[in-house]
Amino acid sequence: MRVSDQALFDLANQRIMRARSDATRAGDQVSSGKRIEHPWDAAGDAGMAVRHQQESGRQDGIFGASSRAADELRVVDSAMDQVTTSLTRAKELAVQLANDTYNANDRAGGAAEVRQLVSAVVSQLNLRFGERYVFGGMQDAAPPFDAAGAYLGDANVRRVEIAPGVLQDASARADVALKGAGGGLDVLQSLQNFVTALATNDATNIRVAVQELDDGIIQVSRERSRVGAMMNVFDVASNMAKQNRDAASDARGRLEDIDIFEASTRFAATQRALEASMSAASQQFRLSLLDKL
Amino acid sequence: MSGLLAMLQQGASSLQAHSAYSSTVAHNLSNSNTVGYSRQRAEIAAVSPADRFGSAYIGNGAVLQAVSQARDRFLEAQMPGAIGREMASGTEAQTLQSINAIDLDNSVAPSLSVFYGQLRALAQNPGSSNYREAAVGAATQLALSFNRSSQSLEGARAGIDQKLEGRLPEVNEALAQIANLNSQIRQARGTGGQPNDLLDARTRLGDRVAEWTGATPVPNADGDLNLTLSDGTSLVAAERAAVLSVLPDATNGGHLRLYIQKPDGSVSKPLSTPPGGELGGLLAARDGALKTAQTQLDQLAFELSGAINAAAVAGYGLDGGTGRPLFVTTATAAGAASSLVVNAAIAADTSLFPAGSTTAPGDPGAVQAMIDTESQNLSNGTTASGSLARITAQFGSTTARAASMNEGDKAMLGHLDGMRQAASGVSVDEELVNMQKAQRAYEAVTRVIKTADEMLNTLMSIKP
């Protein structure tokens, strides 16, 4: 084939430009670690990468929510443990002071201790986690119990997403556990009754308090068990969400990220190709009849 | 004696011929890098008729018969189409590849993910001022992402309009020049010559017009270069040229539409089908992938904000107020992405964020309903994140298709250009050999003249 000088130079130019473009792209991929930087690098994979990105974000949100719910429930459980401890101490006092060997003065002293226990229980039940009162249902902006132990919250249970579209109860029912909503025992009222019985040296009602406090401890423990079960659910949910998030991130990474060995090899190959095209061009340019005549 | 004088005359004529041969070689060498130049050949022929002496014929030397161009008509006919196709696909690919609004880390997707993440955090603590601030911040970020992506796409489309408008004077000038060259070439041919450089200039301009519009030549008996677009619309007819112009198109968001005043001087009308070449590539990018992505983003912004607002207006703020949308945008999908903003009242006072389905401060009912929109299908049968994935994949696919087509078109053009260069290009080596050949012949003819002169001197020195 007849080769014109312009064709010679144009061809060399095109080959060098193409080789340089390939080498630059391979270099970009090696330095960025990304196989897909733009949608057109691999359109289908780019679309899937967006889906994985969204799924990773969604699972991360669920992981965060589940973890926070589990943390909050741990604080709730700890508070209920303190309440149980106070009730247990009150029951010990009731058993002790029900004995006829104790007189009015002894029982008045017991009443003072039980009043402090009531205050401690109310204080525990007005616990805040972050900016909210955890025992008030959805009325969480103000303390759910007043000093007398009256419940000011509501009967709602907060629910948190543990999987896309799946909600799980995430709060304790203080109205059920302590106030006997739904047919249970009003534990705080029982404590107040116990204080009155002690103050009035009423041995009969002190004996009644023994049984009521025992029932109250069981009632609080039952709610604590529910909280424990919820904590387990959220622990499992957060683990699953974390795994799902990591799986989605890995899937995205597999689509987007380069295989460093393959990319490095390709980078070296494109550099060689660039060198070869430059050498070939310079050799072709060197030979000319102009130098021979 | 007359024979010797004839020899001198022959010498003079042959010297002229070989001088012209050398000049043509020099012209070729001078234009070895001129784009669109076709090498020329001085065709030297024996002078006829030869003189008759008895039964023999004695030749009268050499004369320059013509200076012709080396052109392959078959290749020349294919070049404009190949140029137009390569330019169209290349321009479309290059234009689309300059857009980064759809890139994975630069699009709406990360903001959408953060928005839902913040809603989940708020759902756990709807009364928290911190989480309310964060949720409103994420909503603002999402709206800004839609704004930025849409404006980036619209900016690219407006940029294409400017490029179109800026290119037309050059196109019209080239069309007028081709019509003018048709006229000049007709005149030159009328005098019997072949105006090679005018032909080259016209071919060059034809190639430029093909680059810009994808117009292809239609031969006629008069040797004019008539150009038509793919739908047969004439751009150049003999000595008359069309005039292209642009006007805003209200049906296409005010973007420019191409109009043509045909060579017959008729009233300017919209082009019925888009041209090829650079203009076609620009229009394909503007009204193809860019418009589709923009429309899809608008639709997504409109439907997503509508779904979230449906949950929001049913919710209650901490002040007990209800009926407040979280986002404000257009009444229809058109332009929704670029105008999407967070409700100014909520942005100014996050306690108004409608988080609850009741007035209870810890009620996350409305936020939960907003979170549920993440899994809801939109009118296109997929979720918001699915829509984003679709937008990304479609845009990527269209861009990759254009780039891939351009690779093929470039290869085809390169092949044709190589063939054209092989037929018409200048080889310096070849021209140097031709130069040597001309020089040798010139020297030989000079020697003939000298010999004839010596013979005449010899003859003149004979004394009677």
Side-chain angles (χ1 to χ4, degrees), chain B residues 412-439:
Chain B
M412 174 57 78
L413 179 60
H415 175 69
L416 283 175
D417 195 45
M419 301 284 284
R420 185 197 232 185
Q421 283 291 328
S424 307
V426 176
S427 162
V428 171
D429 292 341
E430 186 183 43
E431 297 304 328
L432 285 174
V433 170
N434 286 337
M435 181 69 93
Q436 293 290 316
K437 198 165 74 176
Q439 192 181 353

PDB file of all heavy atoms in Angstrom, chain B residues 412-439:
ATOM      1  N   MET B 412     -13.726   3.125  11.227  1.00  0.00           N
ATOM      2  CA  MET B 412     -14.139   3.176   9.822  1.00  0.00           C
ATOM      3  C   MET B 412     -13.569   4.418   9.137  1.00  0.00           C
ATOM      4  O   MET B 412     -13.033   4.346   8.025  1.00  0.00           O
ATOM      5  CB  MET B 412     -15.674   3.180   9.745  1.00  0.00           C
ATOM      6  CG  MET B 412     -16.238   3.384   8.357  1.00  0.00           C
ATOM      7  SD  MET B 412     -15.652   2.173   7.175  1.00  0.00           S
ATOM      8  CE  MET B 412     -16.677   0.780   7.596  1.00  0.00           C
ATOM      9  N   LEU B 413     -13.663   5.559   9.829  1.00  0.00           N
ATOM     10  CA  LEU B 413     -13.140   6.797   9.252  1.00  0.00           C
ATOM     11  C   LEU B 413     -11.625   6.699   9.082  1.00  0.00           C
ATOM     12  O   LEU B 413     -11.079   7.121   8.061  1.00  0.00           O
ATOM     13  CB  LEU B 413     -13.509   7.990  10.152  1.00  0.00           C
ATOM     14  CG  LEU B 413     -13.006   9.343   9.665  1.00  0.00           C
ATOM     15  CD1 LEU B 413     -13.571   9.681   8.294  1.00  0.00           C
ATOM     16  CD2 LEU B 413     -13.363  10.446  10.663  1.00  0.00           C
ATOM     17  N   GLY B 414     -10.964   6.127  10.105  1.00  0.00           N
ATOM     18  CA  GLY B 414      -9.514   5.977  10.024  1.00  0.00           C
ATOM     19  C   GLY B 414      -9.131   5.117   8.833  1.00  0.00           C
ATOM     20  O   GLY B 414      -8.179   5.424   8.112  1.00  0.00           O
ATOM     21  N   HIS B 415      -9.895   4.048   8.635  1.00  0.00           N
ATOM     22  CA  HIS B 415      -9.616   3.148   7.511  1.00  0.00           C
ATOM     23  C   HIS B 415      -9.801   3.885   6.183  1.00  0.00           C
ATOM     24  O   HIS B 415      -8.924   3.832   5.309  1.00  0.00           O
ATOM     25  CB  HIS B 415     -10.567   1.954   7.591  1.00  0.00           C
ATOM     26  CG  HIS B 415     -10.458   1.015   6.442  1.00  0.00           C
ATOM     27  ND1 HIS B 415      -9.347   0.233   6.238  1.00  0.00           N
ATOM     28  CD2 HIS B 415     -11.311   0.744   5.426  1.00  0.00           C
ATOM     29  CE1 HIS B 415      -9.518  -0.480   5.129  1.00  0.00           C
ATOM     30  NE2 HIS B 415     -10.709  -0.187   4.624  1.00  0.00           N
ATOM     31  N   LEU B 416     -10.933   4.583   6.062  1.00  0.00           N
ATOM     32  CA  LEU B 416     -11.202   5.318   4.816  1.00  0.00           C
ATOM     33  C   LEU B 416     -10.170   6.423   4.601  1.00  0.00           C
ATOM     34  O   LEU B 416      -9.698   6.641   3.483  1.00  0.00           O
ATOM     35  CB  LEU B 416     -12.603   5.938   4.851  1.00  0.00           C
ATOM     36  CG  LEU B 416     -13.769   4.984   4.601  1.00  0.00           C
ATOM     37  CD1 LEU B 416     -15.085   5.716   4.803  1.00  0.00           C
ATOM     38  CD2 LEU B 416     -13.707   4.425   3.187  1.00  0.00           C
ATOM     39  N   ASP B 417      -9.820   7.096   5.704  1.00  0.00           N
ATOM     40  CA  ASP B 417      -8.846   8.178   5.587  1.00  0.00           C
ATOM     41  C   ASP B 417      -7.483   7.619   5.159  1.00  0.00           C
ATOM     42  O   ASP B 417      -6.780   8.223   4.352  1.00  0.00           O
ATOM     43  CB  ASP B 417      -8.735   8.919   6.927  1.00  0.00           C
ATOM     44  CG  ASP B 417      -8.039  10.251   6.763  1.00  0.00           C
ATOM     45  OD1 ASP B 417      -8.366  10.978   5.804  1.00  0.00           O
ATOM     46  OD2 ASP B 417      -7.133  10.548   7.563  1.00  0.00           O
ATOM     47  N   GLY B 418      -7.150   6.428   5.708  1.00  0.00           N
ATOM     48  CA  GLY B 418      -5.905   5.785   5.302  1.00  0.00           C
ATOM     49  C   GLY B 418      -5.917   5.460   3.821  1.00  0.00           C
ATOM     50  O   GLY B 418      -4.928   5.690   3.107  1.00  0.00           O
ATOM     51  N   MET B 419      -7.078   4.945   3.352  1.00  0.00           N
ATOM     52  CA  MET B 419      -7.203   4.612   1.929  1.00  0.00           C
ATOM     53  C   MET B 419      -7.119   5.885   1.080  1.00  0.00           C
ATOM     54  O   MET B 419      -6.522   5.899   0.013  1.00  0.00           O
ATOM     55  CB  MET B 419      -8.546   3.925   1.659  1.00  0.00           C
ATOM     56  CG  MET B 419      -8.765   2.648   2.443  1.00  0.00           C
ATOM     57  SD  MET B 419      -7.847   1.278   1.771  1.00  0.00           S
ATOM     58  CE  MET B 419      -8.821   0.889   0.341  1.00  0.00           C
ATOM     59  N   ARG B 420      -7.761   6.939   1.591  1.00  0.00           N
ATOM     60  CA  ARG B 420      -7.737   8.207   0.853  1.00  0.00           C
ATOM     61  C   ARG B 420      -6.313   8.745   0.796  1.00  0.00           C
ATOM     62  O   ARG B 420      -5.854   9.212  -0.241  1.00  0.00           O
ATOM     63  CB  ARG B 420      -8.647   9.211   1.551  1.00  0.00           C
ATOM     64  CG  ARG B 420      -8.777  10.527   0.800  1.00  0.00           C
ATOM     65  CD  ARG B 420      -9.325  11.594   1.737  1.00  0.00           C
ATOM     66  NE  ARG B 420     -10.478  12.276   1.183  1.00  0.00           N
ATOM     67  CZ  ARG B 420     -11.069  13.299   1.767  1.00  0.00           C
ATOM     68  NH1 ARG B 420     -10.622  13.749   2.909  1.00  0.00           N
ATOM     69  NH2 ARG B 420     -12.123  13.888   1.220  1.00  0.00           N
ATOM     70  N   GLN B 421      -5.629   8.641   1.931  1.00  0.00           N
ATOM     71  CA  GLN B 421      -4.243   9.104   1.971  1.00  0.00           C
ATOM     72  C   GLN B 421      -3.383   8.281   1.016  1.00  0.00           C
ATOM     73  O   GLN B 421      -2.491   8.814   0.359  1.00  0.00           O
ATOM     74  CB  GLN B 421      -3.694   8.977   3.394  1.00  0.00           C
ATOM     75  CG  GLN B 421      -4.158  10.063   4.343  1.00  0.00           C
ATOM     76  CD  GLN B 421      -3.557  11.398   3.992  1.00  0.00           C
ATOM     77  OE1 GLN B 421      -2.436  11.480   3.501  1.00  0.00           O
ATOM     78  NE2 GLN B 421      -4.315  12.457   4.187  1.00  0.00           N
ATOM     79  N   ALA B 422      -3.665   6.976   0.973  1.00  0.00           N
ATOM     80  CA  ALA B 422      -2.895   6.117   0.080  1.00  0.00           C
ATOM     81  C   ALA B 422      -3.097   6.535  -1.376  1.00  0.00           C
ATOM     82  O   ALA B 422      -2.178   6.510  -2.185  1.00  0.00           O
ATOM     83  CB  ALA B 422      -3.323   4.668   0.275  1.00  0.00           C
ATOM     84  N   ALA B 423      -4.308   6.943  -1.690  1.00  0.00           N
ATOM     85  CA  ALA B 423      -4.608   7.323  -3.074  1.00  0.00           C
ATOM     86  C   ALA B 423      -4.183   8.756  -3.370  1.00  0.00           C
ATOM     87  O   ALA B 423      -3.641   9.045  -4.436  1.00  0.00           O
ATOM     88  CB  ALA B 423      -6.102   7.161  -3.340  1.00  0.00           C
ATOM     89  N   SER B 424      -4.412   9.645  -2.438  1.00  0.00           N
ATOM     90  CA  SER B 424      -4.272  11.073  -2.737  1.00  0.00           C
ATOM     91  C   SER B 424      -3.179  11.781  -1.955  1.00  0.00           C
ATOM     92  O   SER B 424      -2.831  12.909  -2.281  1.00  0.00           O
ATOM     93  CB  SER B 424      -5.591  11.789  -2.429  1.00  0.00           C
ATOM     94  OG  SER B 424      -6.649  11.176  -3.082  1.00  0.00           O
ATOM     95  N   GLY B 425      -2.663  11.156  -0.907  1.00  0.00           N
ATOM     96  CA  GLY B 425      -1.702  11.853  -0.061  1.00  0.00           C
ATOM     97  C   GLY B 425      -0.334  11.981  -0.716  1.00  0.00           C
ATOM     98  O   GLY B 425      -0.015  11.303  -1.696  1.00  0.00           O
ATOM     99  N   VAL B 426       0.461  12.848  -0.165  1.00  0.00           N
ATOM    100  CA  VAL B 426       1.799  13.107  -0.703  1.00  0.00           C
ATOM    101  C   VAL B 426       2.803  12.268   0.058  1.00  0.00           C
ATOM    102  O   VAL B 426       2.840  12.299   1.297  1.00  0.00           O
ATOM    103  CB  VAL B 426       2.165  14.603  -0.551  1.00  0.00           C
ATOM    104  CG1 VAL B 426       3.592  14.854  -1.017  1.00  0.00           C
ATOM    105  CG2 VAL B 426       1.176  15.468  -1.313  1.00  0.00           C
ATOM    106  N   SER B 427       3.633  11.515  -0.710  1.00  0.00           N
ATOM    107  CA  SER B 427       4.746  10.802  -0.091  1.00  0.00           C
ATOM    108  C   SER B 427       6.006  11.591  -0.413  1.00  0.00           C
ATOM    109  O   SER B 427       6.357  11.781  -1.590  1.00  0.00           O
ATOM    110  CB  SER B 427       4.845   9.386  -0.650  1.00  0.00           C
ATOM    111  OG  SER B 427       6.118   8.874  -0.364  1.00  0.00           O
ATOM    112  N   VAL B 428       6.690  12.059   0.616  1.00  0.00           N
ATOM    113  CA  VAL B 428       7.887  12.877   0.397  1.00  0.00           C
ATOM    114  C   VAL B 428       8.936  12.072  -0.357  1.00  0.00           C
ATOM    115  O   VAL B 428       9.575  12.575  -1.292  1.00  0.00           O
ATOM    116  CB  VAL B 428       8.442  13.389   1.754  1.00  0.00           C
ATOM    117  CG1 VAL B 428       9.802  14.045   1.571  1.00  0.00           C
ATOM    118  CG2 VAL B 428       7.461  14.376   2.382  1.00  0.00           C
ATOM    119  N   ASP B 429       9.074  10.799   0.029  1.00  0.00           N
ATOM    120  CA  ASP B 429      10.059   9.946  -0.665  1.00  0.00           C
ATOM    121  C   ASP B 429       9.746   9.865  -2.155  1.00  0.00           C
ATOM    122  O   ASP B 429      10.618  10.030  -3.009  1.00  0.00           O
ATOM    123  CB  ASP B 429      10.039   8.529  -0.067  1.00  0.00           C
ATOM    124  CG  ASP B 429      10.574   8.529   1.354  1.00  0.00           C
ATOM    125  OD1 ASP B 429      11.264   9.506   1.720  1.00  0.00           O
ATOM    126  OD2 ASP B 429      10.292   7.575   2.092  1.00  0.00           O
ATOM    127  N   GLU B 430       8.465   9.618  -2.440  1.00  0.00           N
ATOM    128  CA  GLU B 430       8.051   9.481  -3.838  1.00  0.00           C
ATOM    129  C   GLU B 430       8.298  10.785  -4.603  1.00  0.00           C
ATOM    130  O   GLU B 430       8.806  10.779  -5.729  1.00  0.00           O
ATOM    131  CB  GLU B 430       6.559   9.124  -3.872  1.00  0.00           C
ATOM    132  CG  GLU B 430       6.022   8.821  -5.248  1.00  0.00           C
ATOM    133  CD  GLU B 430       4.502   8.557  -5.175  1.00  0.00           C
ATOM    134  OE1 GLU B 430       3.791   9.311  -4.465  1.00  0.00           O
ATOM    135  OE2 GLU B 430       4.048   7.629  -5.816  1.00  0.00           O
ATOM    136  N   GLU B 431       7.958  11.898  -3.957  1.00  0.00           N
ATOM    137  CA  GLU B 431       8.127  13.192  -4.634  1.00  0.00           C
ATOM    138  C   GLU B 431       9.608  13.506  -4.845  1.00  0.00           C
ATOM    139  O   GLU B 431       9.987  14.103  -5.854  1.00  0.00           O
ATOM    140  CB  GLU B 431       7.454  14.311  -3.823  1.00  0.00           C
ATOM    141  CG  GLU B 431       5.952  14.175  -3.675  1.00  0.00           C
ATOM    142  CD  GLU B 431       5.201  14.075  -4.987  1.00  0.00           C
ATOM    143  OE1 GLU B 431       5.640  14.679  -5.992  1.00  0.00           O
ATOM    144  OE2 GLU B 431       4.179  13.363  -5.033  1.00  0.00           O
ATOM    145  N   LEU B 432      10.452  13.096  -3.892  1.00  0.00           N
ATOM    146  CA  LEU B 432      11.891  13.335  -4.067  1.00  0.00           C
ATOM    147  C   LEU B 432      12.424  12.537  -5.252  1.00  0.00           C
ATOM    148  O   LEU B 432      13.251  13.024  -6.031  1.00  0.00           O
ATOM    149  CB  LEU B 432      12.645  12.955  -2.784  1.00  0.00           C
ATOM    150  CG  LEU B 432      12.498  13.938  -1.616  1.00  0.00           C
ATOM    151  CD1 LEU B 432      13.150  13.385  -0.364  1.00  0.00           C
ATOM    152  CD2 LEU B 432      13.108  15.296  -1.957  1.00  0.00           C
ATOM    153  N   VAL B 433      11.946  11.315  -5.390  1.00  0.00           N
ATOM    154  CA  VAL B 433      12.342  10.506  -6.552  1.00  0.00           C
ATOM    155  C   VAL B 433      11.862  11.191  -7.830  1.00  0.00           C
ATOM    156  O   VAL B 433      12.611  11.311  -8.816  1.00  0.00           O
ATOM    157  CB  VAL B 433      11.766   9.073  -6.438  1.00  0.00           C
ATOM    158  CG1 VAL B 433      11.966   8.311  -7.748  1.00  0.00           C
ATOM    159  CG2 VAL B 433      12.428   8.333  -5.284  1.00  0.00           C
ATOM    160  N   ASN B 434      10.617  11.671  -7.805  1.00  0.00           N
ATOM    161  CA  ASN B 434      10.076  12.361  -8.988  1.00  0.00           C
ATOM    162  C   ASN B 434      10.876  13.628  -9.291  1.00  0.00           C
ATOM    163  O   ASN B 434      11.100  13.972 -10.450  1.00  0.00           O
ATOM    164  CB  ASN B 434       8.611  12.720  -8.768  1.00  0.00           C
ATOM    165  CG  ASN B 434       7.720  11.498  -8.861  1.00  0.00           C
ATOM    166  OD1 ASN B 434       8.096  10.502  -9.485  1.00  0.00           O
ATOM    167  ND2 ASN B 434       6.556  11.562  -8.232  1.00  0.00           N
ATOM    168  N   MET B 435      11.291  14.295  -8.215  1.00  0.00           N
ATOM    169  CA  MET B 435      12.095  15.501  -8.392  1.00  0.00           C
ATOM    170  C   MET B 435      13.423  15.159  -9.081  1.00  0.00           C
ATOM    171  O   MET B 435      13.866  15.840  -9.997  1.00  0.00           O
ATOM    172  CB  MET B 435      12.347  16.140  -7.015  1.00  0.00           C
ATOM    173  CG  MET B 435      13.151  17.420  -7.060  1.00  0.00           C
ATOM    174  SD  MET B 435      12.224  18.747  -7.826  1.00  0.00           S
ATOM    175  CE  MET B 435      11.492  19.492  -6.407  1.00  0.00           C
ATOM    176  N   GLN B 436      14.023  14.037  -8.622  1.00  0.00           N
ATOM    177  CA  GLN B 436      15.274  13.582  -9.243  1.00  0.00           C
ATOM    178  C   GLN B 436      15.044  13.252 -10.714  1.00  0.00           C
ATOM    179  O   GLN B 436      15.842  13.594 -11.591  1.00  0.00           O
ATOM    180  CB  GLN B 436      15.778  12.324  -8.522  1.00  0.00           C
ATOM    181  CG  GLN B 436      16.230  12.574  -7.091  1.00  0.00           C
ATOM    182  CD  GLN B 436      17.517  13.372  -7.023  1.00  0.00           C
ATOM    183  OE1 GLN B 436      18.463  13.097  -7.774  1.00  0.00           O
ATOM    184  NE2 GLN B 436      17.548  14.394  -6.187  1.00  0.00           N
ATOM    185  N   LYS B 437      13.890  12.606 -10.946  1.00  0.00           N
ATOM    186  CA  LYS B 437      13.548  12.210 -12.322  1.00  0.00           C
ATOM    187  C   LYS B 437      13.408  13.448 -13.200  1.00  0.00           C
ATOM    188  O   LYS B 437      13.955  13.504 -14.308  1.00  0.00           O
ATOM    189  CB  LYS B 437      12.215  11.437 -12.288  1.00  0.00           C
ATOM    190  CG  LYS B 437      11.941  10.617 -13.508  1.00  0.00           C
ATOM    191  CD  LYS B 437      10.825   9.616 -13.252  1.00  0.00           C
ATOM    192  CE  LYS B 437       9.465  10.285 -13.198  1.00  0.00           C
ATOM    193  NZ  LYS B 437       8.368   9.334 -13.040  1.00  0.00           N
ATOM    194  N   ALA B 438      12.719  14.467 -12.685  1.00  0.00           N
ATOM    195  CA  ALA B 438      12.509  15.699 -13.450  1.00  0.00           C
ATOM    196  C   ALA B 438      13.832  16.413 -13.688  1.00  0.00           C
ATOM    197  O   ALA B 438      14.103  16.925 -14.785  1.00  0.00           O
ATOM    198  CB  ALA B 438      11.543  16.606 -12.693  1.00  0.00           C
ATOM    199  N   GLN B 439      14.679  16.383 -12.635  1.00  0.00           N
ATOM    200  CA  GLN B 439      15.972  17.072 -12.754  1.00  0.00           C
ATOM    201  C   GLN B 439      16.830  16.408 -13.832  1.00  0.00           C
ATOM    202  O   GLN B 439      17.444  17.077 -14.670  1.00  0.00           O
ATOM    203  CB  GLN B 439      16.681  17.016 -11.405  1.00  0.00           C
ATOM    204  CG  GLN B 439      17.880  17.930 -11.321  1.00  0.00           C
ATOM    205  CD  GLN B 439      18.563  17.818  -9.957  1.00  0.00           C
ATOM    206  OE1 GLN B 439      18.063  17.163  -9.049  1.00  0.00           O
ATOM    207  NE2 GLN B 439      19.696  18.469  -9.840  1.00  0.00           N
TER     208      GLN B 439
END
